[in-house]
Amino acid sequence: MSNYWIYETHTPGYEVRWRITDILHQETTPFQKLEVVETVEFGRALILDGALQISEKDEFIYHEMIAHVPMLSHPHPNRVLIVGGGDGGTLREVARHPELQLVDMVEIDERVVEASKRFFPQVASALNDPRLNLYIADGIEFARGNHGPYDVIIVDSSDPVGPAEPLFTVDFYRNLYNLLDEDGMVVVQSESPLFFADSFKNVYSFLNQVFPLVQVYMAFIPTYVSGPWTFTVGSKKYRADEIAENRSIPSPMKYYNRSIHKAAFALPEFILQMLE
Ligand code: AG3
């Protein structure tokens, strides 16, 4: 077996190493360091600035959960905005809803889109969907502009260091609020409640400053820092923990189902206390 390892450093006290068989690609884009490696346990993986973003084996969990929870709790998600998400995984799941009429995606780093098309064709599969308008642009600038209105906005960013840092601010969420229709909702990938507790708490408190209804849900993502991962929804009208009555669930799914949708909103005590 190969004896190559890559190291993913999460905090000064916690590092994960992955045995890899190959480095398929490495480049420094204008925004970040981008690597594609072949891991022994999780298949091919995309790494940005040293943090694993997608692995072939478990990307379905993150992408199904970030997409279908808002897409199915909204009764008519016709117009959707994805901020980030350049690999196309979130788009792939959003595109499975026949209600979708238009999806704008704003990704800052064109190289992520290119790398995904080349190395992760199953993830990038919807990047040629005719309903998609892809903007290679800064999400912060885009959100200040005159776009929308959207029914659902999904913020599929990397961690709040490097290019994604300004996406974790109250000003940005205020702008997203303005891009949403009067019954719209936004979901933000809000990091590990254990390792990035401050980011997680900030997202919750910032969204609460802007939206009347804020709800947190979780999924277990083996390749992300220690597993438990949070998503936070800011909504103008609909509860995110309820599937809208008129909607039917696309099939097949590999993680998401009706019970998971409900159960994902059940939070452990220590997380509830973090939100007080
Ligand atoms: N976006 C969230 C990745 C967060 C990973 N963080 C980490 N490993 N420290 C993933 C993008 C997938 N479309």
Side-chain angles (χ1 to χ4, degrees):
M1 195 176 283
S2 100
N3 213 9
Y4 294 111
W5 296 83
I6 52 159
Y7 294 81
E8 205 191 0
T9 304
H10 294 297
T11 70
Y14 181 72
E15 185 169 85
V16 172
R17 68 172 188 165
W18 305 89
R19 193 194 291 272
I20 61 166
T21 53
D22 214 353
I23 297 176
L24 299 168
H25 185 72
Q26 258 180 331
E27 71 174 290
T28 303
T29 78
F31 300 98
Q32 56 207 338
K33 191 163 172 232
L34 186 164
E35 295 160 287
V36 180
V37 299
E38 200 71 52
T39 73
V40 170
E41 283 300 337
F42 283 88
R44 204 167 268 192
L46 171 73
I47 299 174
L48 296 178
D49 279 345
L52 191 148
Q53 304 294 315
I54 50 178
S55 88
E56 264 173 346
K57 196 162 165 183
D58 77 343
E59 56 84 11
F60 70 94
I61 305 177
Y62 177 89
H63 290 131
E64 287 186 16
M65 289 303 281
I66 200 170
H68 299 305
V69 170
M71 289 299 285
L72 285 159
S73 50
H74 197 292
H76 52 85
N78 305 139
R79 298 153 301 173
V80 174
L81 169 66
I82 300 169
V83 181
D87 53 75
T90 297
L91 170 71
R92 178 193 65 202
E93 296 305 317
V94 164
R96 297 175 65 190
H97 292 264
E99 289 78 5
L100 183 77
Q101 292 167 1
L102 159 164
V103 50
D104 289 346
M105 185 163 107
V106 52
E107 164 62 50
I108 198 166
D109 193 345
E110 187 166 26
R111 300 303 302 160
V112 174
V113 181
E114 293 310 315
S116 187
K117 283 188 190 157
R118 176 160 164 219
F119 296 104
F120 300 89
Q122 281 92 333
V123 177
S125 58
L127 283 164
N128 51 13
D129 191 297
R131 295 165 296 182
L132 171 69
N133 298 301
L134 176 60
Y135 297 81
I136 299 298
D138 182 353
I140 292 292
E141 287 301 320
F142 186 93
R144 289 197 189 112
N146 191 12
H147 301 274
Y150 300 103
D151 303 306
V152 171
I153 298 179
I154 300 176
V155 183
D156 178 13
S157 74
S158 46
D159 299 336
V161 281
E165 194 180 347
L167 300 179
F168 289 76
T169 58
V170 71
D171 288 342
F172 176 60
Y173 300 144
R174 221 169 256 129
N175 291 335
L176 295 185
Y177 181 96
N178 292 329
L179 297 188
L180 282 168
D181 212 342
E182 61 202 11
D183 59 354
M185 62 169 79
V186 59
V187 61
V188 176
Q189 83 78 2
S190 48
E191 301 284 314
S192 161
L194 288 160
F195 279 86
F196 306 121
D198 289 341
S199 307
F200 167 59
K201 286 194 277 192
N202 281 341
V203 170
Y204 185 76
S205 99
F206 295 161
L207 285 173
N208 263 298
Q209 290 172 42
V210 178
F211 287 87
L213 180 60
V214 180
Q215 294 181 284
V216 172
Y217 64 97
M218 288 174 75
F220 293 84
I221 303 174
T223 59
Y224 290 173
V225 193
S226 87
W229 208 257
T230 66
F231 301 87
T232 306
V233 182
S235 179
K236 294 193 183 180
K237 182 167 178 190
Y238 308 113
R239 293 186 63 87
D241 57 346
E242 279 162 18
I243 299 175
E245 271 167 30
N246 62 322
R247 304 294 312 289
S248 48
I249 299 175
S251 75
M253 292 284 176
K254 290 202 308 201
Y255 189 87
Y256 178 93
N257 60 32
R258 208 166 265 282
S259 320
I260 286 284
H261 188 134
K262 268 272 159 218
F265 287 83
L267 300 176
E269 277 309 305
F270 80 95
I271 295 185
L272 291 174
Q273 284 156 18
M274 291 168 85
L275 304 179
E276 266 164 21

